[in-house]
Amino acid sequence: MKIKNLISFFTSVIIATVWAQDVPLIHMNSGEIKEWATGYQNVSYGSGVDDLWKTPQKALGKATGETYDIVCLGNGGQITMTFSPSIKNGSSFDFAVFENSNDGQFLELAWVEVSSDGTHFVRFPNQSLTPSPVGSYGTINSNNISGLAGKFKQGYGTEFDLAELQALYSYLIGGGNPVGLTSTFQTQLTGNFPYLDLNNVRYVRIIDIVGDGNARDAFGHVIYDPYPTFGSGGFDLEAIAVMNQVTDTRLAQTITFPSILNQKLSSGSLPLNSTASSGLPVSFSLVEGSCSISSNTLTFGSAGRITVQALQSGDGTYAPAVPATQSFYVADKIQHIYIEPAPNQITGTIWQVRASASSGLPVSVEVFSGPATALINQTNHLLTVGSQTGTVELRVWQSGNTEYAPADDARVSFSIVTVNNTNAPKTFAQWSAARSLATDAQLDSDGDGAKNIQEFVMGTDPKNSNDVPRLVLQTSSNAYGEQAMLLKFPVNRQSYGRALVQKTTSISGVWSNVIPEIVSTQSATNSGQAIVNLTVQVPIESNQSFYRLLLQDQ
């Protein structure tokens, strides 16, 4: 809102015309943006949000326009974003809040408050004229929303002007009589504004609005937004941009804080390692979790999620660094997920997704991205490929329990193609017929020592003795320093083949399947076929173990 609109804002009975002349919207790539939020504190999650979305570090820095690059606050949750240098009052809008609405109609809303001291917060005047409740995934007319974050679709931020607060405060203490503004809002503003330095705003607090009809705007109107929502309920904060900021002539610095693996509670403690590009010492702050920090040592208290922030506050030469954050879990046991490599899929077919957790706990699978007609059955993990072509990415997760930490997500991607596409997958019989080979999996057609079933699954040429499928096995150590067996092998995306890792303690004994941990995947081509080079590892649990890769036609 510009100052020229304030008189009508405070005196007109037609409050709906507020903000009509100056739409408070800015694109994430606008040249007017000078900086972005540099830190966060006091995160309090509401209900209806999974741990997957409790990622406040994703609200730091520039907005990306990516749907999942957010922190989800949950229903009624809140977060305070910090700024160094500070936001200042300029001649136009001063900062903007970005949410991740994909269409500008499914709008999750939040109150916006600012502070200089981190204690006294002043809320922006706001209004909601949505006339009736909105269902779980219903829509809102953005023209009915003013002064609330979440008004615009992803990639566009809702702008806020600090001058509004000064003008409204001056109007109120001068004896002005604003039409409809609640006494609660007036008292909050006049009581906290004296502590606000408009040229040194260091904190912006975002508070999710629960749209069930109990929340009220600054004029007492009921605020409705989609409710109830689950999994990622509440406001999804992507970023906060700064258009007007205090000038800091000190040198910039950055923090390097490596990711932290999930930890066993029995380990007791963990050394924290982080460095600043300035060479200045880094300190650590506990954001979430049952543990304690002394110097650079984190001591576990009990099982649960831990979030630690690395800080460097600067000095006379260097400005404060943007804090770096890492989250992990402490539990009695650690688990991992393995999802078998996926061949390309043909439109109109059904495919069995095979994924499991080393804990034996059930896993969940979703189509993370891809054509809308690709659907996964959550009960049996059958993928209905659908009629549309394109690239699909599946996400597999296991959320843990009282004994096991959540597993890191596993992902697999593949292409959906038509049946006549050159990248369409084949059965062993189809693959053999296309090469004029007998359909005997145990044959070695080119005499290179590899059976045809190996060439089929691993993507080599069964008529070229120089193109030999290779499996590399070597002993190694996993990320916890435990001895492991490393297996490296290719898998053909254009074949309906399977590669199973098995082990036995006696070469003449019974072989059993194991659930390997994926170390890396890399797409490539070989002999004109799309392949994925897979590296996996399995723990070595006894002094005498034998491992093999069993190759099959699906």
Side-chain angles (χ1 to χ4, degrees):
M1 185 197 301
K2 303 297 186 182
I3 298 301
K4 64 186 179 185
N5 294 329
L6 287 173
I7 298 300
S8 64
F9 176 69
F10 297 140
T11 62
S12 175
V13 294
I14 309 176
I15 304 301
T17 62
V18 179
W19 290 282
Q21 297 182 33
D22 300 287
V23 178
L25 166 148
I26 189 170
H27 189 266
M28 62 184 183
N29 294 328
S30 170
E32 295 180 29
I33 297 174
K34 303 299 188 294
E35 190 55 85
W36 300 82
T38 56
Y40 67 87
Q41 61 185 38
N42 300 333
V43 186
S44 176
Y45 296 107
S47 61
V49 54
D50 294 339
D51 284 351
L52 171 67
W53 308 112
K54 294 179 179 179
T55 50
Q57 65 273 17
K58 290 187 176 181
L60 299 175
K62 185 183 184 302
T64 63
E66 297 178 4
T67 301
Y68 304 107
D69 186 31
I70 54 95
V71 56
C72 179
L73 300 184
N75 299 306
Q78 62 179 269
I79 188 173
T80 299
M81 304 303 294
T82 62
F83 299 83
S84 179
S86 304
I87 304 169
K88 71 175 182 179
N89 183 29
S91 59
S92 60
F93 294 107
D94 303 304
F95 67 94
V97 181
F98 289 76
E99 216 261 354
N100 73 340
S101 170
N102 61 2
D103 60 4
Q105 297 181 9
F106 177 76
L107 305 177
E108 295 174 300
L109 305 175
W111 287 297
V112 178
E113 302 176 343
V114 293
S115 174
S116 294
D117 61 9
T119 301
H120 300 86
F121 283 84
V122 181
R123 179 171 296 182
F124 274 85
N126 56 86
Q127 181 174 259
S128 172
L129 297 178
T130 301
S132 58
V134 179
S136 292
Y137 296 96
T139 62
I140 294 176
N141 184 343
S142 63
N143 292 326
N144 289 330
I145 303 300
S146 302
L148 298 172
K151 179 179 172 71
F152 301 111
K153 70 177 183 179
Q154 187 171 21
Y156 293 87
T158 305
E159 295 182 301
F160 293 87
D161 188 352
L162 294 171
E164 294 178 26
L165 302 177
Q166 177 67 72
L168 181 52
Y169 174 73
S170 299
Y171 183 80
L172 291 174
I173 64 172
N177 182 27
V179 175
L181 202 63
T182 66
S183 59
T184 299
F185 181 85
Q186 293 183 54
T187 299
Q188 191 269 354
L189 187 142
T190 55
N192 289 292
F193 185 86
Y195 299 93
L196 182 66
D197 180 351
L198 293 182
N199 290 312
N200 184 29
V201 173
R202 300 171 55 207
Y203 308 92
V204 175
R205 185 159 66 189
I206 307 297
I207 305 174
D208 174 72
I209 296 171
V210 180
D212 61 358
N214 288 311
R216 297 291 189 272
D217 68 12
F219 299 92
H221 306 133
V222 174
I223 303 177
Y224 293 113
D225 75 354
Y227 179 86
T229 52
F230 309 95
S232 59
F235 192 83
D236 300 317
L237 176 62
E238 182 180 4
I240 299 182
V242 181
M243 286 77 81
N244 295 306
Q245 68 174 159
V246 176
T247 301
D248 192 333
T249 59
R250 291 176 293 177
L251 298 175
Q253 61 170 326
T254 58
I255 290 176
T256 300
F257 190 15
S259 60
I260 302 174
L261 298 171
N262 291 338
Q263 300 291 314
K264 292 182 179 179
L265 182 60
S266 59
S267 299
S269 63
L270 174 74
L272 299 173
N273 299 296
S274 180
T275 58
S277 59
S278 62
L280 296 172
V282 174
S283 61
F284 299 97
S285 173
L286 179 64
V287 177
E288 175 188 11
S290 175
C291 61
S292 61
I293 297 177
S294 177
S295 184
N296 66 338
T297 299
L298 180 73
T299 301
F300 308 144
S302 59
R305 178 184 168 97
I306 306 295
T307 300
V308 179
Q309 198 170 59
L311 307 164
Q312 214 308 305
S313 58
D315 60 9
T317 302
Y318 288 94
V322 175
T325 304
Q326 296 295 347
S327 295
F328 61 98
Y329 287 85
V330 172
D332 292 328
K333 296 181 179 180
I334 308 299
Q335 62 171 328
H336 63 262
I337 291 171
Y338 179 67
I339 180 169
E340 291 188 23
N344 292 338
Q345 299 296 316
I346 297 173
T347 54
T349 60
I350 294 176
W351 179 62
Q352 178 66 64
V353 178
R354 295 181 174 92
S356 52
S358 60
S359 62
L361 297 173
V363 299
S364 299
V365 184
E366 70 172 354
V367 178
F368 189 76
S369 64
T373 54
L375 303 172
I376 191 80
N377 184 305
Q378 284 296 329
T379 302
N380 57 21
H381 297 165
L382 284 176
L383 176 72
T384 300
V385 176
S387 59
Q388 298 176 349
T389 60
T391 300
V392 172
E393 183 178 22
L394 301 180
R395 169 181 167 254
V396 187
W397 73 97
Q398 211 303 311
S399 300
N401 59 13
T402 55
E403 185 178 18
Y404 283 92
D408 290 338
D409 289 357
R411 305 196 183 210
V412 66
S413 60
F414 53 87
S415 297
I416 298 177
V417 298
T418 57
V419 66
N420 295 320
N421 189 286
T422 56
N423 291 318
K426 294 178 172 61
T427 63
F428 181 72
Q430 292 169 334
W431 177 86
S432 299
R435 291 160 175 77
S436 302
L437 301 174
T439 55
D440 184 345
Q442 303 306 309
L443 287 179
D444 177 5
S445 296
D446 55 7
D448 62 0
K451 299 175 182 178
N452 285 1
I453 188 65
Q454 292 176 275
E455 309 239 28
F456 166 70
V457 176
M458 301 177 83
T460 51
D461 185 350
K463 291 186 173 183
N464 181 357
S465 60
N466 293 317
D467 189 15
V468 183
R470 299 190 184 280
L471 167 64
V472 177
L473 290 88
Q474 63 187 66
T475 57
S476 181
S477 296
N478 65 20
Y480 297 97
E482 301 165 337
Q483 191 175 21
M485 176 61 69
L486 208 63
L487 298 89
K488 301 179 181 180
F489 55 93
V491 176
N492 188 0
R493 290 189 184 275
Q494 293 170 228
S495 74
Y496 285 120
R498 297 184 68 189
L500 304 176
V501 179
Q502 297 186 319
K503 79 168 187 176
T504 183
T505 56
S506 172
I507 196 66
S508 59
V510 177
W511 291 84
S512 59
N513 294 337
V514 298
I515 300 173
E517 181 177 6
I518 299 172
V519 177
S520 67
T521 59
Q522 183 179 18
S523 297
T525 58
N526 184 68
S527 299
Q529 300 178 101
I531 64 172
V532 56
N533 288 313
L534 193 65
T535 301
V536 301
Q537 64 183 5
V538 294
I540 298 177
E541 298 172 347
S542 64
N543 293 330
Q544 179 172 291
S545 296
F546 300 90
Y547 297 87
R548 73 178 184 183
L549 194 65
L550 179 64
L551 304 175
Q552 298 177 336
D553 182 12
Q554 293 195 36

